[in-house]
Amino acid sequence: MQAQKHRTAVHIDPFKPAEGQKGLMNRWHPDIPAFCSVKPGEVFNVECHDWVGGQIGNNDSSDDIKIHNLSGPIAVEGAKTGDVLVVDILDVTPFPDMQWGYTGIFESIYATSRHIPGVRFAGIPHPGLIGTMPSQELLDKWNKREGELIAANEGCCPEVALPPTAKGAYVGQDLPDKVREKVYKEGARTIPGREHGGNVDIKNLSRGSRCYFPVYVDGANLAVGDLHFSQGDGELSFCGAIEMTSIIKDGVKKLGLRQPIFLPSPIDPKYHEQIIFQGVSVDVHGDGKQYSMDATVAYKQAALNCFDYLNRLGYSREQAYLLCSAAPVEAHVGAIVDVPNACVTMGLPRAIFDRDILPTEDGLEKRDYGQAAIRSDGVRCKQPNLK
């Protein structure tokens, strides 16, 4: 039986830069019109560029780049403000001629990388970024609260938030000059997740998953991109997603929906044997400062503990960051009730390594794994700022 072919709502050319192509965007703004439309219940394809729009090649360069490039917006006929848009992700596949990713070269369902020797793991392709268009009221709220956060943390490094900027902004549609100027001036950056979805980076939001998004503008104006082969830096470049949409009328009120709800994919790599690193809300890798119930600090400490362990195995800090971003590591909040320390754990799958990485009485065997690609200006990976 021949597989049914579905309409492709957004076509892109993965061999050409994103800038100049129609149906791509890298800002959230209600004045961006729908690029195309679909019917409720329709199954359709969406072709997506990689998150940087073709700026990265299959080479060892890791210089700075601009992000993200999303496909859309896609209007859903009949969707009205206050409804809930239901999106089923039926499949996520690469373009057949471009099966490589930034963090690793992969075959079948497994990823390996010349930059991180001795590691092989299964991945689950999924969209890192998917969401609906905000209303002007919601956009203004985002810009106000994020602007206040920036003002309250002036000079903080890294930045606590990224304000709107026309630099690097792109909408691949023919817009009136005044509209384009307004979009580029006010449009929200796509880096964080917000009430509409956005850059949520849920690693098992893959084949068979379902998303419930609040609708803030008529048509919903869905956009998707930043597709991953595995979580984080293990993005699968030049991907296409197959999706289906339906609508729950007045769903925001019925469900009390203030932020999206996600039903994860039933498909998930199972790595049962892990080595687990604990972190608490004390900066033991820095000045020893005690933080009060700060799960973010605890998570960073768990990650830094894992990085140090990988370093003792022979991996550089850059390799450790890439590995823990791309591999299916699992982080869990262990405790957030026992003052003053929140407790977070990070589980590193043992089976992804080509040797036993467990501690022994003799310590750990350190091997020479070389180095990952670093920036051409020589800037190296630094310890994260806990502020």
Side-chain angles (χ1 to χ4, degrees):
M1 183 176 180
Q2 188 175 7
Q4 183 179 0
K5 292 186 177 180
H6 303 289
R7 178 169 72 99
T8 298
V10 179
H11 284 281
I12 65 101
D13 186 343
F15 292 95
K16 294 181 179 179
E19 191 165 343
Q21 295 201 52
K22 301 292 187 181
L24 295 174
M25 49 170 267
N26 66 2
R27 292 293 188 272
W28 296 110
H29 197 288
D31 288 353
I32 301 175
F35 175 74
C36 59
S37 64
V38 297
K39 298 180 182 297
E42 179 181 356
V43 177
F44 59 95
N45 298 322
V46 180
E47 294 179 351
C48 302
H49 221 309
D50 67 296
W51 71 309
V52 299
Q55 296 175 80
I56 291 181
N58 191 3
N59 52 48
D60 291 344
S61 172
S62 61
D63 291 340
D64 290 340
I65 39 80
K66 300 189 294 288
I67 58 174
H68 295 102
N69 290 276
L70 312 181
S71 294
I74 301 169
V76 180
E77 296 177 14
K80 299 293 183 181
T81 302
D83 291 345
V84 165
L85 182 68
V86 183
V87 179
D88 289 319
I89 301 174
L90 305 183
D91 203 358
V92 183
T93 59
F95 284 115
D97 296 333
M98 304 192 95
Q99 296 194 32
W100 61 275
Y102 302 161
T103 307
I105 309 303
F106 67 91
E107 58 179 353
S108 182
I109 62 171
Y110 293 98
T112 61
S113 172
R114 60 181 176 268
H115 296 296
I116 313 174
V119 174
R120 177 178 181 266
F121 60 85
I124 302 182
H126 61 278
L129 206 159
I130 183 171
T132 52
M133 196 65 71
S135 64
Q136 185 68 53
E137 180 184 9
L138 183 58
L139 175 64
D140 292 342
K141 182 186 295 185
W142 292 351
N143 288 336
K144 180 177 184 294
R145 74 189 187 199
E146 292 175 21
E148 291 172 347
L149 183 64
I150 293 170
N153 294 272
E154 186 176 358
C156 186
C157 183
E159 303 95 328
V160 294
L162 298 173
T165 176
K167 183 179 179 181
Y170 178 69
V171 176
Q173 295 191 53
D174 296 325
L175 302 178
D177 290 342
K178 288 186 177 180
V179 174
R180 186 177 297 277
E181 181 180 351
K182 185 173 186 287
V183 168
Y184 286 8
K185 180 181 178 181
E186 301 176 351
R189 308 277 284 277
T190 58
I191 293 173
R194 300 182 177 92
E195 293 92 323
H196 69 142
N199 198 20
V200 292
D201 281 338
I202 299 173
K203 69 178 182 180
N204 52 358
L205 199 65
S206 185
R207 187 191 321 168
S209 59
R210 172 172 286 185
C211 314
Y212 296 82
F213 295 110
V215 175
Y216 298 101
V217 299
D218 289 351
N221 285 7
L222 178 75
V224 60
D226 186 24
L227 303 190
H228 300 165
F229 171 67
S230 187
Q231 183 59 52
D233 286 334
E235 288 171 323
L236 176 64
S237 309
F238 318 117
C239 302
I242 301 176
E243 303 176 80
M244 181 178 72
T245 63
S246 60
I247 301 168
I248 299 176
K249 300 304 294 182
D250 201 24
V252 168
K253 183 178 179 180
K254 290 177 181 176
L255 304 178
L257 202 65
R258 291 181 174 86
Q259 295 182 0
I261 296 174
F262 302 96
L263 301 182
S265 169
I267 303 170
D268 198 6
K270 299 297 184 183
Y271 291 103
H272 299 291
E273 295 184 343
Q274 299 177 333
I275 180 168
I276 295 177
F277 301 87
Q278 175 186 331
V280 298
S281 47
V282 179
D283 185 9
V284 298
H285 289 270
D287 60 8
K289 180 179 178 180
Q290 172 77 63
Y291 290 81
S292 176
M293 304 306 295
D294 193 321
T296 300
V297 170
Y299 173 76
K300 290 180 179 179
Q301 295 302 304
L304 290 170
N305 290 335
C306 181
F307 296 164
D308 281 355
Y309 192 89
L310 289 168
N311 182 248
R312 293 178 181 276
L313 293 172
Y315 293 102
S316 69
R317 182 166 288 270
E318 288 82 4
Q319 289 173 320
Y321 268 91
L322 289 173
L323 173 58
C324 291
S325 296
V329 299
E330 292 189 359
H332 297 283
V333 176
I336 52 172
V337 297
D338 301 319
V339 295
N341 286 331
C343 178
V344 176
T345 62
M346 173 181 280
L348 182 65
R350 292 167 51 194
I352 70 176
F353 295 91
D354 65 359
R355 62 162 167 143
D356 189 357
I357 64 168
L358 289 180
T360 69
E361 291 183 359
D362 297 326
L364 300 172
E365 178 192 355
K366 189 169 186 177
R367 298 181 182 178
D368 184 3
Y369 288 116
Q371 173 59 292
I374 58 175
R375 284 167 44 175
S376 58
D377 59 9
V379 174
R380 301 291 296 275
C381 183
K382 297 181 180 180
Q383 181 171 313
N385 191 316
L386 297 182
K387 295 181 179 179

